[in-house]
Every structure is written in C-alpha cells, then in structure tokens.
Amino acid sequence: MSEKKRVVLVGCGGISNAWFNAAKKFPEDIEFVGLVDLNLENAGKRNEEHQLNAVVGADLKDVLKQTNPDIVFDCTVPPAHCDIVTTALNHGCDVLGEKPMAETMDQARAMVKAAEDNARTYAVIQNRRYLKNIVQYRDLLASGKLGNLTTLNADFYLGVHFGGFRDEMDHVLLIDMAIHTFDQARFISGKDPVSVLAYEWNPPGSWYKHGASAVCIFEMSDGVVFTYRGSWCSEGMNTTWQCDWRAICEHGTLTWDGGDAFAGETVTEGEGFTRKTEPLPIEPAEELAFTGHAGVMHEFLESLKNSVDPQTVCTDNIKSLAMVHAAVESAETGKQVVIKY
C-alpha cells in the first residue's frame, strides 16, 4: 500500500467543504496536515468540523515549512490563485486548484511555467466533466453513429440572485460562469478553440451591474462551430446549470438538456426534400465510480500514482481560460479575436 499524500488546503471558505467531503472518499490516499486561511477562525472551524488534526495558519509559506506536504489544494478566490499555486509548486508540491486558473492569461502562463520548471502536476477543478450524463453525451458523439460533429450549441438561462460581489462584477457571466460551459464544449467536442466573436449586454431589469447576458460564436479546430447563448438574469423556463445542448453532425442531431434527457435522430435515407430519420437508440448512462469534485480528485490522485497527466491538467485547462478572456476582449472591442494560450 502506498503512503498517504500529505495535503495542505488553502482557503477555508464555504467551497472548501465540497473538497473536504470529496476527500473523505479517499481515506487511504489523503491526510490533511495543514489548513491555511487569512481568517484563522475559518481554518480552525474546518479543522474541528472535519475532525482533523492539522496545523492551522494564515501564511502558506509558513505552513508549508511546518508540514512538508506532497499536495496543496487551492480553494482560494481567483485573485489569489497565481500566488498560491506558484508558491506551492516552487515548494515542490503538486497542486489541485479551484477554477478559474487565474485572473489573466499572463498569470496562467506563469503558473504553467512553474509547474513545468518544477516537474510538478497542477490541475484545475472542472467538476462538470465528471458527471455521468456529460460523459454519455460525449461518448455518443464520439461513437461516429451520427457522423462527424459540425456544430455545437449551448443555451444557459438562469435567474439567480446571489447578492454580494457578483452583483458588482464586470463581465459577470463570462468571467464567473462561462468557463464551465466553455470547458464542457471542449470536453464534449474534443476540439480546441481558434477564435471568437462575442456580444454581451445587461438587459433592463437586471440586478447585476454589468454583462449578465452574452452570445458567443467560437470557431473550433477542424472547422467545428460552437455557439453559446447565456443569461444570469433570465426569470422562468430555466435550463440546468449544465446548459441545454444541441450537437449537429453530418448524419443526424443529438440533444441533451443538461440533466437526464437525451434525444437523437439519424438519417436513414439519402433522397428527398427532407431526409427520413429515425430515433437514435440511447442506453441509460453508466454510473461513474466518482463524480463531481470526487471525480476530479480521484483522477488527480491516480495520475500522480501513475505519472500521467489528468485531463484537467493546467496545460490543457488554460485553453478553456483563454476562451473566457478572448470572449471578454471580443465583447469589449466588437471584433473577432484569435485565441492564444
């Protein structure tokens, strides 16, 4: 049996509970040896709630010296990610962190370089990749039963009243939420982003300061087009958080409502004004051993054991982040933007 990985978790706010609960599924693999938060009361509270015996501190460097961990979990707010991740990598730790990687592409590139320079693994929580229905959707498209994918559409419509900092953010939908959908699109299609044309607005009646609605048209690799329509101030007829999807392929179409509903049709005859189609047989999605945060964590731990990259490794996830920043640039300038990462 391999030794447990010694873990320091940084950022003991509300989201950290999702990480602690996921980690409880891997008692043979993980031991929390340190908790870091600028508010020591938060760290102490998590230490007690989850019955840990970890070193508690407000300074990551100090806790790293005291505990000598193998892994750092970064659950801090986005402005802190670059400093926390590079500090951990330079100390020789592998890192699993919250999305998004960073506030800027320059920061993200510095984080990737730190991982490469230290020969460490840095991966990002993109928990929507680890849900059985999105895996089913991706696999159905990859099976070739409908031919090659040509167009992928995602609709995201929710009326959510967070209150707090989101109400005052610029580009709130694109920056705070769209990365989930953009990463889902890359996962579903297997394609990488090439360019984007985006438009955002704040509808009358919006309770956000800026950018609660957006439309984006992405050119992806191999000529695939991905379109995104979204709003965070859309009351009624809400989609799921996973979006409503339509994939158009050479020989048919496959839809997914982001929940349990799939529907597909494939062409059966090649003549006529409109071609005859029949329903695509779709079996129930197979259960996954680990889902959500636990799915990401499990793959991360297994990747370290086997010296392979997890699917959300920073060198890949930076492409999803680049989609966000390119969309913001396009919305600000009104021009199509080539995506660089």
Side-chain angles (χ1 to χ4, degrees):
M1 181 183 298
S2 60
E3 293 184 0
K4 291 183 180 181
K5 294 289 186 180
R6 296 167 57 82
V7 177
V8 166
L9 183 143
V10 190
C12 297
I15 192 62
S16 66
N17 281 321
W19 289 66
F20 287 121
N21 291 332
K24 289 173 183 176
K25 298 181 183 295
F26 313 106
E28 302 300 321
D29 299 302
I30 291 176
E31 176 187 5
F32 285 101
V33 296
L35 301 180
V36 180
D37 198 284
L38 294 176
N39 184 335
L40 285 175
E41 184 178 342
N42 281 347
K45 184 178 180 181
R46 298 291 177 256
N47 207 18
E48 181 178 345
E49 285 177 343
H50 297 282
Q51 300 180 327
L52 307 174
N53 188 28
V55 172
V56 171
D59 182 80
L60 174 59
K61 291 181 179 178
D62 181 55
V63 174
L64 290 175
K65 290 178 182 177
Q66 291 185 60
T67 59
N68 192 32
D70 305 295
I71 294 172
V72 167
F73 287 164
D74 175 23
C75 303
T76 61
V77 295
H81 288 178
C82 185
D83 180 60
I84 296 299
V85 170
T86 53
T87 296
L89 292 168
N90 290 335
H91 191 81
C93 299
D94 297 299
V95 181
L96 181 61
E98 268 293 344
K99 63 84 188 169
M101 283 180 65
E103 287 196 302
T104 69
M105 289 304 296
D106 284 343
Q107 289 178 343
R109 294 183 188 106
M111 295 156 82
V112 171
K113 186 176 186 299
E116 292 174 340
D117 289 347
N118 291 286
R120 296 287 95 192
T121 297
Y122 166 43
V124 181
I125 284 278
Q126 294 286 177
N127 50 307
R128 282 171 172 76
R129 288 185 176 222
Y130 299 81
L131 301 174
K132 66 178 183 179
N133 289 329
I134 195 172
V135 173
Q136 169 92 328
Y137 195 57
R138 178 203 61 181
D139 290 349
L140 283 167
L141 291 172
S143 71
K145 294 177 181 178
L146 297 173
N148 291 326
L149 176 69
T150 66
T151 309
L152 184 63
N153 301 330
D155 284 341
F156 177 85
Y157 291 108
L158 288 172
V160 285
H161 298 257
F162 290 104
F165 71 92
R166 289 182 178 87
D167 287 2
E168 301 302 319
M169 282 181 64
D170 289 337
H171 312 289
V172 62
L173 180 69
L174 289 177
I175 288 179
D176 196 61
M177 186 62 206
I179 190 167
H180 281 298
T181 307
F182 296 170
D183 190 72
Q184 285 178 271
R186 292 186 53 239
F187 177 74
I188 289 167
S189 68
K191 308 301 180 184
D192 288 331
V194 176
S195 67
V196 62
L197 180 62
Y199 179 78
E200 66 177 352
W201 69 102
N202 213 36
S206 171
W207 48 96
Y208 297 92
K209 184 186 79 172
H210 183 270
S213 297
V215 173
C216 304
I217 304 171
F218 288 93
E219 178 190 356
M220 308 293 281
S221 56
D222 298 324
V224 171
V225 173
F226 162 54
T227 70
Y228 169 80
R229 302 186 302 179
S231 177
W232 249 357
C233 61
S234 174
E235 299 283 29
M237 300 300 292
N238 288 169
T239 66
T240 69
W241 285 88
Q242 282 68 247
C243 299
D244 189 272
W245 295 84
R246 174 178 288 260
I248 303 169
C249 303
E250 292 174 316
H251 309 304
T253 293
L254 182 67
T255 63
W256 172 46
D257 73 345
D260 295 322
F262 297 91
E265 291 184 344
T266 182
V267 171
T268 57
E269 293 182 5
E271 301 294 333
F273 182 64
T274 57
R275 305 304 193 239
K276 184 178 180 180
T277 62
E278 65 179 22
L280 179 73
I282 300 174
E283 298 294 328
E286 293 185 8
E287 297 293 333
L288 301 180
F290 301 101
T291 64
H293 278 68
V296 187
M297 198 173 290
H298 176 259
E299 184 174 343
F300 179 75
L301 294 169
E302 290 299 305
S303 74
L304 298 182
K305 293 177 185 177
N306 298 311
S307 300
V308 297
D309 287 338
Q311 63 175 299
T312 62
V313 68
C314 60
T315 49
D316 181 81
N317 192 252
I318 195 172
K319 299 174 183 178
S320 299
L321 184 68
M323 294 173 75
V324 172
H325 287 288
V328 169
E329 181 182 346
S330 177
E332 289 179 340
T333 63
K335 299 178 180 179
Q336 186 173 16
V337 174
V338 174
I339 298 174
K340 301 176 182 178
Y341 40 84

